[in-house]
Amino acid sequence: MAIEDDVLVVGGGLAGVTAALAAADTGVRVRLVSHKESTLRQASGVVDALGALDGTLVSDPYEAVERLSDGHPYRTLGADALRSGFDLFDGTVTGYEGSHTDANALVPTHGGTVKPTARYPESVAPGLASDDRPMLLVGFETLPDFDAPRAAAHLERVGVPFAVHGVTLDFPGNLRADAAVTRYADLLDEAVPVDGGRVDARTALVERVKSHLSGAERVGFPALLGHEAHDEVRAELSQRLGADAFEVPMGPPSLPGTRLADQLYAAMDDAGVGIETGNPVVDVTTDGERVTEVTVERTHTAVPYAAEQYVLATGGLVGKGIASNRESVRERVFDCHVPHPADRYDWSVEGAYGDHAFARFGVRIDADGRPLDASEDVEYENLRAAGGVVGGADVAAEKSASGVSLATGFTAGRLAGEEVS
């Protein structure tokens, strides 16, 4: 006998979580199944909406929606869907800033660029490029992903309105070069004795940094300033350095991403969403017009799951929700149509940052978030799609991945829940 729910969400990233929360808010029974641990834990922790268009930075993402091409999910769903997605995010997550304005903030990255973003952790806020206070960036010998002097030089070249310099130091505790980022955070969380037991890790870090301040009024560290006690760690470093300590968003694995995932999954639990990770969907049953059942593999056992409504949120090419070979491109779970040029040589153009067709591969949706087939008819009446599996947006170039997940996730989840109720 199948496990039954009102809404079944397939995928555990930002889009899937948003869909599950939006559906649960309508009062229906929701379950989320995910093949792997949430990709949120690999994300930087900043939440973009629309940061660039035709290579130019975007100030107001809502205003810029009308300048996007037809077929973009923002055009299909409308700017109100984007706003609703962010409203859900703001009502769910604490410790983030940016909700006071529609304008993007400019957040310095570990590569020395600035990223236009709509929401950002409080731990990142003192580092915004709109602030003209002088800045010191601090990197560590055992963390080659963040070359602080190079990042500082790059920020100077792009013309930030503040003096910035960088330094590379030894992190307290003699960590190995392959140590997980959580090891750094744990030493600061727990104020572990270091330097032969002479001082704790927080004191040792302050001692190492203080002589390099040179008038800096804010100090940027890789995003590892504690995990459970990150607010306390950052506040203590700021007070003892006499300068605002902040975190620079990093690549995976990401502590800000993990902190965000923890909050969102706790919110799903509070909303009564059933959560199952590590269990892939391996088969789908339909009656031609509706999905009637999916089969989930649990510890090598095929288990049927049934729902009135389904949400597909398995990710795009990178997330492996979309698959391709030399002949075609397909959606993996429900085999939904993915528009693509017949000639694979038209999937890309010359130049790493060109207008590549593959960057927009994904299912196309209607205004209700339902995938469309090759004739632009609805694939299944009770299936909606959200996040990276939805095509039409080059989210890397546009800096819009999080916003697309929020807009499509909110729409898919809310309408799925309303269809039931």
Side-chain angles (χ1 to χ4, degrees):
M1 182 175 292
I3 296 172
E4 296 187 1
D5 291 282
D6 294 323
V7 176
L8 180 66
V9 178
V10 182
L14 181 59
V17 173
T18 302
L21 290 170
D25 193 48
T26 67
V28 301
R29 295 173 302 161
V30 182
R31 185 179 302 272
L32 180 145
V33 296
S34 176
H35 184 190
K36 298 179 180 178
E37 186 179 69
S38 174
T39 52
L40 283 164
R41 300 182 186 279
Q42 307 302 318
S44 67
V46 299
V47 181
D48 47 32
L50 179 62
L53 192 55
D54 298 326
T56 302
L57 297 187
V58 167
S59 174
D60 183 340
Y62 300 100
E63 177 276 330
V65 165
E66 292 303 316
R67 293 188 277 132
L68 293 166
S69 60
D70 291 341
H72 193 288
Y74 288 169
R75 289 292 302 276
T76 301
L77 301 180
D80 285 347
L82 178 61
R83 195 176 295 279
S84 295
F86 273 101
D87 286 345
L88 185 149
F89 181 89
D90 295 336
T92 303
V93 172
T94 61
Y96 269 70
E97 297 192 9
S99 61
H100 64 289
T101 178
D102 285 348
N104 281 322
L106 296 177
V107 175
T109 71
H110 67 288
T113 61
V114 290
K115 178 180 174 64
T117 192
R119 302 291 186 272
Y120 45 94
E122 290 175 352
S123 64
V124 169
L128 294 186
S130 54
D131 188 334
D132 63 2
R133 292 178 298 163
M135 175 189 293
L136 167 67
L137 295 178
V138 176
F140 301 110
E141 295 285 356
T142 47
L143 274 179
D145 286 352
F146 183 39
D147 186 330
R150 176 175 292 182
H154 198 279
L155 284 171
E156 283 190 325
R157 284 197 296 274
V158 300
V160 293
F162 51 84
V164 54
H165 65 286
V167 62
T168 303
L169 305 173
D170 290 322
F171 191 86
N174 297 318
L175 294 176
R176 291 169 34 170
D178 61 351
V181 67
T182 51
R183 289 285 295 118
Y184 296 82
D186 288 345
L187 288 175
L188 295 173
D189 259 349
E190 300 162 17
V192 174
V194 294
D195 292 357
R198 180 181 63 85
V199 291
D200 65 83
R202 298 180 195 178
T203 298
L205 183 56
V206 169
E207 290 178 351
R208 284 161 166 75
V209 171
K210 215 160 192 180
S211 62
H212 297 278
L213 283 173
S214 300
E217 296 178 31
R218 47 188 177 149
V219 182
F221 297 90
L224 48 71
L225 299 183
H227 181 35
E228 299 296 335
H230 60 276
D231 288 337
E232 175 188 320
V233 170
R234 193 168 61 85
E236 181 175 337
L237 292 179
S238 297
Q239 189 273 324
R240 297 178 67 180
L241 287 170
D244 283 343
F246 68 92
E247 292 186 311
V248 178
M250 302 287 291
S254 166
L255 278 176
T258 298
R259 296 170 195 151
L260 177 57
D262 289 345
Q263 282 204 63
L264 289 172
Y265 270 72
M268 282 199 296
D269 192 50
D270 290 344
V273 176
I275 305 169
E276 299 182 17
T277 58
N279 302 321
V281 173
V282 294
D283 197 14
V284 173
T285 304
T286 76
D287 64 8
E289 294 184 350
R290 296 177 65 86
V291 178
T292 57
E293 194 173 272
V294 301
T295 302
V296 175
E297 184 180 283
R298 288 172 49 181
T299 58
H300 307 293
T301 302
V303 180
Y305 284 64
E308 289 191 41
Q309 298 287 322
Y310 296 82
V311 176
L312 169 67
T314 49
L317 285 168
V318 175
K320 300 185 178 179
I322 301 295
S324 67
N325 55 31
R326 287 182 173 273
E327 286 74 41
S328 64
V329 184
R330 67 183 183 88
E331 183 272 308
R332 288 177 178 269
V333 176
F334 295 91
D335 199 28
C336 293
H337 173 65
V338 177
H340 60 278
D343 188 340
R344 66 183 297 270
Y345 290 101
D346 292 332
W347 295 2
S348 61
V349 296
E350 291 186 5
Y353 301 103
D355 184 20
H356 301 291
F358 72 79
R360 296 185 295 276
F361 282 171
V363 304
R364 293 300 171 92
I365 57 174
D366 67 6
D368 290 331
R370 295 175 299 185
L372 303 175
D373 64 18
S375 300
E376 298 195 352
D377 295 323
V378 171
E379 292 264 14
Y380 300 107
E381 294 176 358
N382 62 338
L383 174 66
R384 290 175 171 81
V389 75
V390 176
D394 184 347
V395 296
E398 298 167 0
K399 308 183 193 306
S400 63
S402 300
V404 168
S405 290
L406 289 170
T408 56
F410 175 85
T411 300
R414 174 56 61 90
L415 294 180
E418 290 177 348
E419 286 277 333
V420 174
S421 56

